[in-house]
Amino acid sequence: MKDVARSAGVSVSTVSNVLNRPDYVSSANRLKVLDAIARLGYVRNNAARQLRVGRTRTVGLVVLNIANPFFIDVIRGVEETLSRVGHSVILCNSDGRPPREESNVEMLGEQQVQGVLISPVDPGSPWLAKLADRGVPVVLLDSRAAGTEQCSVSVDDVLGGRLAASHLLEQGHERLVYVSGPPLLHQVTERREGVLAAMAEAGVPADRLTVIECTELSFGAGCDAGERLLGLRPRPTAVICANDLLALGVLQVMFANGVSVPGDVALVGYDDIDFAAGSAVPLTSVRQPRYELGEVAAKLLLDEVDGAGEHAHRQIVMTPELVVRASSSSAHATWSRSRSSSKRR
Amino acid sequence: MKDVARSAGVSVSTVSNVLNRPDYVSSANRLKVLDAIARLGYVRNNAARQLRVGRTRTVGLVVLNIANPFFIDVIRGVEETLSRVGHSVILCNSDGRPPREESNVEMLGEQQVQGVLISPVDPGSPWLAKLADRGVPVVLLDSRAAGTEQCSVSVDDVLGGRLAASHLLEQGHERLVYVSGPPLLHQVTERREGVLAAMAEAGVPADRLTVIECTELSFGAGCDAGERLLGLRPRPTAVICANDLLALGVLQVMFANGVSVPGDVALVGYDDIDFAAGSAVPLTSVRQPRYELGEVAAKLLLDEVDGAGEHAHRQIVMTPELVVRASSSSAHATWSRSRSSSKRR
DNA sequence: ATGAAAGCGCTAACAG
DNA sequence: CTGTTAGCGCTTTCAT
């Protein structure tokens, strides 16, 4: 900056003004400075700027699993909302592993981010509490704040599970299988609770539910679950998966083994990712407002950051929606190619 | 830091030493300091640290499209390699849009990153040149450096296209369709060149190739391409797609319209993402060493960063591999469920 | 409208 | 082994 100032024949503060408040500077000087910057290839040192100003225009976003298309849309929602107001996003992937999450959060803390959006493995982890104690706004994403002292945006997973199960029960199925993910994830367990609630409502005893647990929410894990499903006796007729990746894996294995979907087995996924509508048998799924989830969370964070003191914490719970396609219902078995509903950007 | 020092009854430099070179400090003092840090909830200000030290432990990674599973594995390769040596990664998504790429790169420059790994929209863009001029190491990812003055890691896309086309020609197909992506992307055009090369080798005239261009490499775009394919006369019998997402979209539309794959149309994708093996009809695809791509690029960058002066730029070109599955070959049409080959991490 | 100068919080000589 | 101290590059009063 000193070099630029010298080369332009002005003082450093004029250079600084050109960068930060161009209208304070005479246009003659502004031009000289801009020219010198271009000539010298000057790039502002953000560390120094931050140090001086005390805060950043950066927020951190920690997602549970970047390989899950669900989060890709959440990320989009966050990024577009924040970049519109000039904030940049540092994206981190905890990969569902608490130690990674901890180091992500720690790194973000040191970067002096304005705030953190996080889909936590465990919303009660000490590192999140510590961050909040330091006064860094934290908004929980796809997770409900325990108290009222924190913002959160989530989707009603119990309802989602109930929608899926009610649908299958209405089709006359009497035994259900729930292909679950890591029980650490409350999303996964709440969806199961929803399934049980629907069964209770329908007067179906809880022991009619078989749970198959997977160690991760991935396509590969779904394939493994599919294999295990094949071994069950009596053969289940209806399967709900904790997410679409699992469901697609299950579907693939059914397909490969000549088990007809929905003829022999009805299948319901969760998230309604793009592939769900496009798989061999279009997948019935519980749609979540993914983009909006990120968008709303980002706006909440902005409000907390800008609205100095004025901010009231809010816990927003969004509503999922069942999208019925061929995989669960003989009525849809003639493919109507209803992909239309999955449009998102 | 001053507070910590006071509270621990030592000087700030001792606190600094505890943080940076714990072995310089007597264990009595170390304990006192650590205790004070915990008590006060002190978090080191990274901006100040950076400013003082002059460099970061951070590198930037800019990918073309985070929604593409191909890049997810590349990201993993980069992150695991770098985090192993204590570097953190700032992940950016250019989304194939040059202006976004420019602002990503600019942001990384201001963050004083140690280096940048980028799968560029256009490897020759001015902002990349500017970065390199400033002395920031830049490694091209999935893109070949034009000269010898820069590191790059890419996969031979011409060869990949040739493998795909040769395979189909060997099956006796005489007309090919190439479902292309944005012509801006050299990967896409080079794969087409490979297809043409294979045709030339086989003595098939170039006008037997029909090109369908898509505006993006996505599942949705593949569906659109599928619709257009259905309208072609004569009906093509063999289709090569610029990537797997396109191919899965095409496959979905074929399926929905009762066109048998591979019976009526043979289909080949590109990337061999996990879904490829797992789709309704397992997809023949050209496998790229995705994880290794990221890994090798990260190592090249580390060498350039650490190996002060000693570093010799390298342009590494990796070799793709054709994975034949049911979608292209009647011989495989009885599903062998050969998912095994898609194992990665 | 412009310039001089005081730090932001930290690290790394250097001296003890 | 510990403390003192001089900046790192920038923004921002405060004078002019």
Side-chain angles (χ1 to χ4, degrees), chain B residues 15-173:
Chain B
V15 177
S16 175
N17 281 334
V18 168
L19 256 33
N20 300 303
R21 300 116 63 157
D23 32 326
Y24 276 41
V25 182
S26 72
S27 50
N29 271 350
R30 187 167 48 232
L31 252 44
K32 279 195 285 187
V33 168
L34 254 20
D35 176 62
I37 287 178
R39 218 155 7 84
L40 272 50
Y42 165 77
V43 174
R44 168 222 258 124
N45 181 327
N46 202 46
R49 160 166 238 256
Q50 259 179 235
L51 178 59
R52 181 58 234 232
V53 175
R55 55 187 171 64
T56 342
R57 297 285 276 167
T58 313
V59 325
L61 168 58
V62 184
V63 300
L64 217 41
N65 175 10
I66 202 176
N68 186 342
F70 169 80
F71 282 110
I72 300 293
D73 283 334
V74 174
I75 292 169
R76 253 195 242 287
V78 170
E79 277 195 335
E80 289 182 7
T81 308
L82 290 177
S83 73
R84 203 167 294 134
V85 296
H87 284 78
S88 39
V89 176
I90 298 186
L91 175 57
C92 302
N93 176 26
S94 71
D95 217 15
R97 299 207 284 262
R100 266 194 75 157
E101 183 180 291
E102 179 174 11
S103 75
N104 286 155
V105 167
E106 198 161 307
M107 185 270 269
L108 292 172
E110 291 187 356
Q111 301 282 359
Q112 320 293 120
V113 292
Q114 287 265 69
V116 170
L117 294 160
I118 181 169
S119 55
V121 179
D122 168 11
S125 22
W127 44 89
L128 285 181
K130 217 187 295 175
L131 204 62
D133 284 351
R134 278 212 300 142
V136 180
V138 174
V139 174
L140 300 184
L141 233 180
D142 200 32
S143 192
R144 202 174 187 309
T148 174
E149 287 309 296
Q150 192 170 202
C151 280
S152 70
V153 189
S154 55
V155 185
D156 189 338
D157 285 307
V158 176
L159 174 58
R162 215 166 62 194
L163 289 172
S166 302
H167 167 64
L168 290 172
L169 294 169
E170 278 165 19
Q171 311 274 314
H173 297 282

Side-chain angles (χ1 to χ4, degrees), chain B:
Chain B
M1 204 151 153
K2 242 179 338 196
D3 294 347
V4 173
R6 185 168 357 164
S7 169
V10 299
S11 74
V12 286
S13 46
T14 298
V15 177
S16 175
N17 281 334
V18 168
L19 256 33
N20 300 303
R21 300 116 63 157
D23 32 326
Y24 276 41
V25 182
S26 72
S27 50
N29 271 350
R30 187 167 48 232
L31 252 44
K32 279 195 285 187
V33 168
L34 254 20
D35 176 62
I37 287 178
R39 218 155 7 84
L40 272 50
Y42 165 77
V43 174
R44 168 222 258 124
N45 181 327
N46 202 46
R49 160 166 238 256
Q50 259 179 235
L51 178 59
R52 181 58 234 232
V53 175
R55 55 187 171 64
T56 342
R57 297 285 276 167
T58 313
V59 325
L61 168 58
V62 184
V63 300
L64 217 41
N65 175 10
I66 202 176
N68 186 342
F70 169 80
F71 282 110
I72 300 293
D73 283 334
V74 174
I75 292 169
R76 253 195 242 287
V78 170
E79 277 195 335
E80 289 182 7
T81 308
L82 290 177
S83 73
R84 203 167 294 134
V85 296
H87 284 78
S88 39
V89 176
I90 298 186
L91 175 57
C92 302
N93 176 26
S94 71
D95 217 15
R97 299 207 284 262
R100 266 194 75 157
E101 183 180 291
E102 179 174 11
S103 75
N104 286 155
V105 167
E106 198 161 307
M107 185 270 269
L108 292 172
E110 291 187 356
Q111 301 282 359
Q112 320 293 120
V113 292
Q114 287 265 69
V116 170
L117 294 160
I118 181 169
S119 55
V121 179
D122 168 11
S125 22
W127 44 89
L128 285 181
K130 217 187 295 175
L131 204 62
D133 284 351
R134 278 212 300 142
V136 180
V138 174
V139 174
L140 300 184
L141 233 180
D142 200 32
S143 192
R144 202 174 187 309
T148 174
E149 287 309 296
Q150 192 170 202
C151 280
S152 70
V153 189
S154 55
V155 185
D156 189 338
D157 285 307
V158 176
L159 174 58
R162 215 166 62 194
L163 289 172
S166 302
H167 167 64
L168 290 172
L169 294 169
E170 278 165 19
Q171 311 274 314
H173 297 282
E174 294 179 340
R175 304 189 154 274
L176 301 182
V177 175
Y178 178 60
V179 176
S180 170
L184 203 62
L185 300 179
H186 60 87
Q187 292 93 332
V188 162
T189 54
E190 285 175 15
R191 287 166 200 177
R192 192 193 54 210
E193 281 166 31
V195 170
L196 287 168
M199 291 171 65
E201 279 166 24
V204 175
D207 63 6
R208 295 282 177 77
L209 178 69
T210 306
V211 175
I212 292 188
E213 195 167 292
C214 298
T215 54
E216 51 172 46
L217 295 170
S218 68
F219 180 80
C223 292
D224 298 341
E227 305 282 1
R228 283 192 274 162
L229 274 171
L230 291 175
L232 291 182
R233 293 290 174 281
R235 194 55 94 55
T237 63
V239 177
I240 297 171
C241 296
N243 86 350
D244 282 345
L245 296 175
L246 290 176
L248 291 172
V250 167
L251 180 60
Q252 205 275 329
V253 171
M254 296 298 118
F255 216 84
N257 287 274
V259 176
S260 158
V261 173
D264 302 324
V265 175
L267 187 62
V268 177
Y270 208 107
D271 286 349
D272 194 28
I273 62 177
D274 285 354
F275 289 119
S279 64
V281 181
L283 195 64
T284 294
S285 192
V286 178
R287 175 164 343 141
Q288 308 204 68
R290 305 183 289 266
Y291 183 90
E292 289 77 4
L293 204 64
E295 189 182 16
V296 170
K299 285 181 176 162
L300 243 40
L301 186 66
L302 285 175
D303 185 66
E304 189 164 353
V305 167
D306 301 335
E310 290 296 277
H311 173 81
H313 293 301
R314 296 177 60 191
Q315 295 79 40
I316 295 177
V317 179
M318 304 181 123
T319 305
E321 187 186 341
L322 182 74
V323 180
V324 178
R325 299 202 185 82
S327 74
S328 69
S329 148
S330 43
H332 284 69
T334 52
W335 291 306
S336 50
R337 303 199 49 258
S338 58
R339 293 196 300 107
S340 59
S341 53
S342 74
K343 288 269 159 70
R344 157 85 25 241
R345 65 152 304 148

Side-chain angles (χ1 to χ4, degrees), chain A residues 146-230:
Chain A
T148 174
E149 287 309 296
Q150 192 169 204
C151 280
S152 70
V153 189
S154 55
V155 185
D156 189 338
D157 285 307
V158 176
L159 174 58
R162 213 164 64 195
L163 290 172
S166 303
H167 167 63
L168 290 172
L169 294 169
E170 279 164 18
Q171 311 274 312
H173 297 283
E174 294 180 339
R175 304 188 153 273
L176 301 182
V177 175
Y178 178 61
V179 177
S180 170
L184 202 62
L185 300 180
H186 60 86
Q187 291 93 332
V188 161
T189 53
E190 285 174 15
R191 288 165 200 178
R192 191 194 54 210
E193 282 165 31
V195 169
L196 287 168
M199 291 171 66
E201 280 166 24
V204 176
D207 63 5
R208 295 282 177 78
L209 178 69
T210 307
V211 175
I212 292 189
E213 195 166 292
C214 297
T215 54
E216 51 173 45
L217 295 171
S218 68
F219 180 80
C223 291
D224 297 341
E227 305 281 0
R228 283 192 274 163
L229 274 171
L230 291 175

